[in-house]
Amino acid sequence: MTSAIDLHGPAHVARYLETDGAEGHDWRRGTTVLLLTTTGRRTGAERVSALIYREWGDAFIVVASKGGADAPPAWFVNLTAHPEVGVQIRAERFAATARVATPEEKPAMWAAMVEAWPDYYAYQARTDREIPVVVLERA
């Protein structure tokens, strides 16, 4: 049987949903994961992604890294078209509005996310694309 810390992609999302985050919220190296539901920019279909997050005041922050790929992750492209998103943290589900961190906000937010997942630093080094930090604010 796969442990929650080994989950990725659709399997991670499924286990998180099945257990209300009891499995899947706490992930590798002490990180925590939320589920982000976006609306497909072309299809209008809901898409759910498991993402490392941190609390930031009354909001939550995530990173659109895609492992340092030159193209952003689909969930990020979708939320730029439809910023109204759904968030699940453990069993709590709520509506939120997503936005990219401002240039003034980003350095501190980026540092917090790199502290949570140091690989983000290497991901940024792999690409010329500026990897955005996304702020999720309760609607």
Side-chain angles (χ1 to χ4, degrees):
M1 182 171 182
T2 303
S3 76
I5 64 167
D6 294 325
L7 293 172
H8 291 87
H12 195 158
V13 170
R15 183 78 62 85
Y16 200 114
L17 289 169
E18 290 166 4
T19 66
D20 275 339
E23 294 182 44
H25 176 268
D26 299 328
W27 201 54
R28 295 180 173 174
R29 295 187 234 157
T31 60
T32 53
V33 172
L34 60 71
L35 296 184
L36 178 69
T37 302
T38 58
T39 302
R41 69 190 184 288
R42 291 186 298 222
T43 66
E46 286 190 348
R47 308 278 186 221
V48 183
S49 301
L51 303 169
I52 295 169
Y53 79 96
R54 293 205 82 178
E55 291 185 41
W56 194 264
D58 292 336
F60 303 91
I61 55 176
V62 296
V63 173
S65 67
K66 197 177 179 183
D70 289 332
W75 64 261
F76 177 76
V77 178
N78 287 339
L79 70 76
T80 59
H82 301 286
E84 297 77 24
V85 298
V87 175
Q88 180 174 338
I89 298 175
R90 296 189 189 268
E92 182 184 8
R93 294 173 175 89
F94 56 92
T97 302
R99 65 176 178 81
V100 174
T102 66
E104 295 77 24
E105 293 173 314
K106 185 179 176 186
M109 291 176 171
W110 178 258
M113 292 305 293
V114 168
E115 180 182 355
W117 191 253
D119 293 355
Y120 287 137
Y121 182 77
Y123 298 166
Q124 183 60 78
R126 287 184 197 149
T127 183
D128 291 332
R129 171 176 71 90
E130 183 178 341
I131 296 176
V133 174
V134 175
V135 182
L136 305 170
E137 299 170 316
R138 290 178 188 266

